[in-house]
Amino acid sequence: MIVGIDAGGTLIKVAYTKKGEVHFEKYPIAEIEQVADWVNNLGDCKVCVTGGRSGVLVSLLDQPAQEMVEFEATHLGVQVLLEKNGTLEDAYLVTNVGTGTSIHCIQDNMQERLGGTGVGGGTLIGLSHLLTGVTRYDEIVGLASKGSRDRLDLKVKDIYEDKEPPISGELTASNFGQNLFAISDGLTKEELLAAVIGLVGETVSTVSVQAARQCRSSTIVYIGSSFIDNPLLKEVVTSYTILRGSVPVFPDNGEFSGAMGAMTAL
Ligand code: ATP
Ligand code: MG
């Protein structure tokens, strides 16, 4: 059996082949010892580990494991997933919305990190919890998808009240920028959570579209577990990316790119 593991800041992603088929699993980082036990009990296998917590995982393994730089593993994994989808291009950007967000340009078969932002999946969970008390990721994204951010976000057209704005009036002028002092007690969890996802999605896509100017391509491949069961984040990122002239792509199993790349390297 060959096993690729991406131990990130929040989740451990595992890709492995069994009887010729690829399987994917994910675990919270708190279960890193259980993941190590699982590997230690596999018997004859090859393992490659990547991600920020790979050193911790390797120290828990009984057998030696190959280690791979996270960005290289992700690049390789994205390539494999896009090839499977039949959508692999010569050049593209990869935006990995993990705990934090990292942006890469892939061209001439090389990856270069263009930048990132600390606004990512960790922000999504952390701010959501502080604003509403909700703890579970699935509950956060479920409630958010039922909410509207109209009462929280200030649009360009709200500022240019009786005038034609110089840019699209539909763009967000200020996330959480409405006069909230007057209505803060009456906002629902759904509205607050939708506004958090709006903030994360618009930040991530705005930074990505700007980074695309340093890359030959305007295709942006969005990956990372922050998109799992999160249609609202996908919708915000899709519409903002298209509005700014780029093309968003969400590959199937994109959150397993790092694990897939690590497995493929073996
Ligand atoms: P990094 O790459 O920044 O080190 P990571 O690899 O752990 O972090 P991902 O697994 O890509 O990051 O994404 C983590 C994010 O995915 C969380 O911050 C959260 O928003 C979201 N998420 C999706 N499913 C879950 C879950 N079951 N539990 C917690 N967070 C989840
Ligand atoms: Mg990661």
Side-chain angles (χ1 to χ4, degrees):
M1 188 147 120
I2 56 169
V3 184
I5 305 179
D6 173 10
T10 306
L11 298 173
I12 303 171
K13 280 75 61 183
V14 181
Y16 63 95
T17 49
K18 201 174 179 182
K19 294 183 186 150
E21 260 187 52
V22 179
H23 297 261
F24 299 115
E25 312 274 1
K26 58 180 184 303
Y27 306 89
I29 193 68
E31 291 177 17
I32 194 161
E33 287 181 15
Q34 286 93 313
V35 174
D37 285 347
W38 174 78
V39 176
N40 289 335
N41 288 316
L42 283 177
D44 191 24
C45 67
K46 280 185 173 176
V47 185
C48 181
V49 185
T50 189
R53 299 275 162 85
S54 56
V56 180
L57 183 61
V58 166
S59 73
L60 295 167
L61 296 179
D62 294 341
Q63 65 170 71
Q66 198 168 310
E67 280 191 70
M68 198 172 176
V69 176
E70 181 177 350
F71 301 153
E72 296 303 335
T74 304
H75 167 202
L76 182 56
V78 167
Q79 213 174 338
V80 172
L81 293 174
L82 291 177
E83 231 161 28
K84 266 194 184 160
N85 279 3
T87 53
L88 183 63
E89 297 177 28
D90 285 351
Y92 51 92
L93 273 98
V94 173
T95 294
N96 186 357
V97 190
T99 312
T101 299
S102 195
I103 302 170
H104 307 258
C105 170
I106 316 294
Q107 54 192 10
D108 306 321
N109 214 23
M110 304 265 291
Q111 76 81 24
E112 182 191 359
R113 187 174 189 272
L114 299 179
T117 164
V119 176
T123 316
L124 194 166
I125 301 183
L127 257 187
S128 294
H129 178 67
L130 287 176
L131 287 173
T132 64
V134 179
T135 313
R136 281 182 32 202
Y137 172 80
D138 54 351
E139 202 182 335
I140 290 170
V141 295
L143 288 169
S145 66
K146 294 185 208 132
S148 159
R149 47 196 180 107
D150 287 355
R151 292 207 295 163
L152 290 105
D153 288 355
L154 192 70
K155 288 191 171 180
V156 169
K157 68 179 181 196
D158 297 327
I159 297 182
Y160 279 79
E161 234 180 39
D162 296 319
K163 267 181 83 180
E164 191 59 35
I167 52 174
S168 166
E170 285 306 314
L171 284 169
T172 305
S174 178
N175 296 84
F176 289 89
Q178 291 269 18
N179 181 7
L180 298 183
F181 296 167
I183 58 163
S184 55
D185 290 341
L187 291 166
T188 64
K189 286 183 179 176
E190 286 84 349
E191 286 177 292
L192 288 161
L193 296 172
V196 170
I197 292 195
L199 168 73
V200 172
E202 289 181 358
T203 305
V204 159
S205 42
T206 300
V207 177
S208 301
V209 169
Q210 282 169 3
R213 294 194 192 139
Q214 298 168 57
C215 194
R216 215 179 32 243
S217 176
S218 58
T219 297
I220 304 176
V221 179
Y222 290 100
I223 59 165
S225 309
S226 307
F227 294 107
I228 295 177
D229 296 330
N230 196 347
L232 184 58
L233 185 67
K234 273 191 180 171
E235 187 189 305
V236 172
V237 167
T238 299
S239 59
Y240 233 67
T241 304
I242 292 173
L243 187 73
R244 300 292 187 88
S246 288
V247 182
V249 174
F250 297 89
D252 294 341
N253 299 310
E255 66 274 24
F256 291 101
S257 300
M260 188 75 184
M263 191 189 83
T264 307
L266 284 166

